[in-house]
């Protein structure tokens, strides 16, 4: 039972990061119908931005996270304005190719500046904690708590503010939103900024536990797309549910089967669920 609860805690930590990354991806797809294949590398760049703030600017941990979020939100604004807005109305494959181009550009920039060495983000929360007999680090608990706060803040923003209502309006009908005076282009820029900011926050939280390197975006991108497909493309509740389904599947399969097969088991569960419900768990009505 102790092993079970230990792996449940590990799955909760991993699912928290998956949820933040997948939420940003789901927001962009739900609003703009764009599969942003560069999203994983925005996550990677967020980790490097926090690393730069701590090691070069000597910023404390939380200001470093805020710095990374602001920088990546700005990059998200620029990408939407310069790259993706120009492709509206073009065939879908054009946006996919552009996103892949952005992906490799960001990776090349990161490798040019920081090289290919593995790095770890310094954190003041590296002390072990005994939580009801379970072994954890302070950073793992910070990951879970910070994710809960960010998800709650995002939900409040989308459901309780006028700006959030405009985002939901554009996601439901871009034409209808334009007819009632909503500037869909400004909404798209805001959504890209939020998406990139969430990726930066996720990367800062986990970069003290996992390594930072230029290719780190590929794995998280694959997992994030699997999550939003599992939850239903563009669905916010689906992104959260899918994140924890995938993370718990990985965690328990690594403990009870083999770490070598954790991805196989996780994606096998994905296939089974999609076979039963092909549109995803929380797909919105067409």
């Amino acid at each position: 039972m102790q092993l079970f609860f230990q792996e449940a805690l590990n799955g909760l930590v991993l699912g928290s990061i998956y949820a933040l990354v997948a939420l940003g991806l789901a927001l962009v797809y739900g609003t703009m119908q764009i599969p942003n294949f560069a999203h994983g590398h925005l996550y990677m760049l967020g980790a490097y931005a926090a690393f730069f703030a701590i090691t070069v600017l000597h910023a404390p941990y939380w200001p470093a996270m805020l710095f990374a979020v602001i920088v990546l939100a700005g990059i998200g604004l620029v990408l939407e304005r310069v790259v993706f807005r120009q492709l509206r109305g073009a065939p879908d494959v054009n946006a996919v190719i552009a996103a892949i181009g952005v992906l490799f550009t960001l990776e090349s920039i990161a490798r040019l500046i920081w090289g290919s060495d593995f790095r770890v983000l310094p954190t003041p929360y590296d002390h072990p904690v005994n939580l009801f007999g379970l072994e954890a680090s302070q950073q793992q608990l910070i990951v879970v708590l910070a994710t809960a706060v960010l998800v709650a803040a995002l939900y409040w923003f989308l459901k309780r503010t006028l700006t959030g209502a405009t985002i939901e309006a554009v996601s439901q009908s871009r034409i209808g939103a334009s007819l009632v005076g909503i500037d869909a282009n400004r909404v798209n820029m805001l959504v890209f900024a939020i998406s990139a900011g969430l990726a930066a926050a996720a990367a800062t939280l986990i970069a003290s536990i996992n390594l930072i390197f230029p290719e780190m975006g590929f794995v998280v991108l694959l997992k994030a797309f699997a999550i939003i497909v599992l939850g239903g493309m563009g669905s916010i509740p689906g992104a959260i549910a899918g994140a924890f389904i995938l993370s718990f599947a990985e965690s328990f399969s690594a403990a009870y089967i083999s770490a070598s097969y954790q991805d196989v088991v996780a994606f096998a569960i994905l296939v089974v669920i999609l076979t039963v419900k092909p549109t995803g768990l929380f797909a919105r009505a067409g």
Side-chain angles (χ1 to χ4, degrees), residues 249-268:
E250 288 184 3
S251 183
F252 285 120
S253 60
Y256 291 106
I257 302 176
S258 170
S260 302
Y261 295 102
Q262 64 179 20
D263 288 335
V264 174
V265 173
F267 283 101

Side-chain angles (χ1 to χ4, degrees), residues 30-61:
T31 305
M32 302 175 62
Q33 305 301 305
I34 290 176
N36 182 16
F37 286 97
H39 191 67
H41 280 59
L42 293 175
Y43 166 89
M44 173 272 295
L45 211 58
Y48 276 115
F51 182 82
F52 172 83
I54 290 177
T55 59
V56 178
L57 302 181
H58 304 293
Y61 181 81

